[in-house]
Amino acid sequence: MTEEPKDTCDVIGSQKTNPSQDKDLAPYIKIKVLFFARARDLTGSTEICLEMPDGSTARDCMSKLLIEFPNLQEIYNSMVLALNEEYAPESTILKDKDELAIIPPISGG
Amino acid sequence: MAEEETVEAEEKDLIEILEPSSGPIDLTRYVDYVRDPAAGAIATFEGTTRDTFEGKRVVELRYEAYVPMATRRLAAVCAEARAAWPVLRVAVAHRLGTVGVGEASVFVAASAVHRAEAMEACRYVIDEVKASVPIWKKEVYENGEVWKENREFLERREAAVGPAQERKKAACCCGSKVRVDEESTGGMI
């Protein structure tokens, strides 16, 4: 599941403007997003990198993911988020290099 | 992720997420781990995989985990059990990969001076595994497959986030996650 080296995952979210230009204007943070189980099936990815404006929340990140992967809407009503391996509310403010995981309904046991 | 993720959180807890190559859970290993001269009781729970779900025959089950977080959660769960009951030792193991029908997918053992504490702690750990440890199970049937969803997780989520209806636009929560080859369902799903 984690064969890819950390800094080579696909970056999405910097298409709108020239990223280098953008970075001069406002600081950007890079977030690693992990998809498990049904979320991985829906997105076709195990992980991606997302560039977000500094000060973004997990909710902002989720909004961007729903645009990028509309299929995720299917589990949005039942999933939760984890930030750096701990459950986190959508209001949490993200930091550079944070790891955000989409946690579809778990089914261990 | 080639090797087993083993954590001895509080030196008296043994937590193992077992990689697919590990084979069946060695139950004795965990019982022996919690065995203690001061203990008057060892309570264990073995979760096994069923052969049918709503009349459909289950061929096999496949487990996956967010391993680092699952390990952390299990360590926290054992610490919570320790804080709530005077237990001596706790051990928990969960398999990943394909688990054959009838085999153990999860095992919990807890020792305490008296049986009530051992049983309560054991139950707490397995209940928390179902509610909060990021592990997923896919049931594979003869004509399809489905990611299972633990009721305990959904109930807790609803308590924390609010009813599902608050998040609009979502598709129906069932149906689309079930992938079944239409031509062979025979109306079972």
Side-chain angles (χ1 to χ4, degrees):
Chain A
M1 241 178 298
T2 52
E3 289 92 357
E4 280 184 56
K6 274 181 185 159
D7 292 329
T8 59
C9 56
D10 301 331
V11 177
I12 65 166
S14 52
Q15 313 91 321
K16 285 176 205 150
T17 49
N18 180 337
S20 59
Q21 224 174 37
D22 231 25
K23 271 175 194 141
D24 293 338
L25 296 171
Y28 265 68
I29 54 173
K30 212 178 221 184
I31 307 297
K32 182 155 88 170
V33 184
L34 306 181
F35 303 104
F36 294 97
R38 185 66 186 151
R40 185 188 56 244
D41 292 351
L42 291 169
T43 61
S45 297
T46 57
E47 64 175 67
I48 60 158
C49 290
L50 210 52
E51 278 188 356
M52 299 291 295
D54 197 12
S56 295
T57 62
R59 181 178 292 115
D60 298 331
C61 210
M62 201 56 227
S63 302
K64 198 161 200 171
L65 289 169
L66 286 167
I67 293 167
E68 201 70 29
F69 304 104
N71 287 346
L72 276 180
Q73 193 68 48
E74 178 196 306
I75 56 166
Y76 186 52
N77 258 339
S78 55
M79 52 161 276
V80 297
L81 294 171
L83 190 63
N84 303 324
E85 303 174 5
E86 301 279 358
Y87 290 114
E90 283 195 321
S91 56
T92 310
I93 293 173
L94 303 171
K95 303 181 307 296
D96 192 35
K97 297 191 174 66
D98 270 351
E99 180 177 283
L100 185 73
I102 308 298
I103 310 284
I106 62 170
S107 40
Chain B
M1 286 230 257
E3 57 193 56
E4 293 173 12
E5 193 88 6
T6 302
V7 166
E8 295 189 38
E10 195 169 323
E11 84 180 74
K12 291 188 172 173
D13 303 331
L14 176 64
I15 289 151
E16 293 190 331
I17 307 279
L18 303 168
E19 288 299 318
S21 57
S22 308
I25 299 180
D26 176 6
L27 307 184
T28 314
R29 167 176 165 77
Y30 304 96
V31 176
D32 284 347
Y33 185 86
V34 302
R35 200 174 292 283
D36 191 299
I42 293 175
T44 64
F45 172 83
E46 178 182 344
T48 56
T49 53
R50 282 193 299 259
D51 64 353
T52 48
F53 175 71
E54 291 179 355
K56 299 187 289 293
R57 198 171 80 77
V58 177
V59 178
E60 63 178 31
L61 299 98
R62 291 186 210 133
Y63 288 89
E64 66 173 67
Y66 181 10
V67 176
M69 181 175 170
T71 308
R72 278 167 79 121
R73 270 306 304 152
L74 284 172
V77 166
C78 289
E80 287 156 18
R82 195 170 283 293
W85 297 278
V87 289
L88 293 165
R89 290 163 176 270
V90 183
V92 53
H94 201 300
R95 280 180 73 180
L96 299 183
T98 302
V99 176
V101 165
E103 292 180 25
S105 52
V106 61
F107 191 70
V108 181
S111 60
V113 175
H114 301 294
R115 69 183 182 286
E117 291 81 15
M119 293 170 89
E120 293 283 348
C122 184
R123 182 182 183 138
Y124 178 81
V125 172
I126 186 59
D127 285 353
E128 279 299 313
V129 166
K130 304 288 278 189
S132 74
V133 177
I135 297 175
W136 296 270
K137 163 172 55 191
K138 181 189 263 183
E139 276 187 358
V140 180
Y141 312 113
E142 285 159 320
N143 58 357
E145 55 187 37
V146 62
W147 287 105
K148 302 294 288 183
E149 301 183 348
N150 287 347
R151 175 179 45 82
E152 296 87 344
F153 169 90
L154 295 169
E155 285 170 357
R156 186 169 299 184
R157 181 194 172 282
E158 183 152 328
V161 183
Q165 299 88 288
E166 282 182 14
R167 291 175 164 200
K168 292 224 165 76
K169 292 195 297 183
C172 168
C173 58
C174 303
S176 50
K177 71 176 179 286
V178 182
R179 186 182 70 71
V180 170
D181 304 328
E182 295 291 335
E183 63 275 13
S184 56
T185 55
M188 282 175 69
I189 292 182

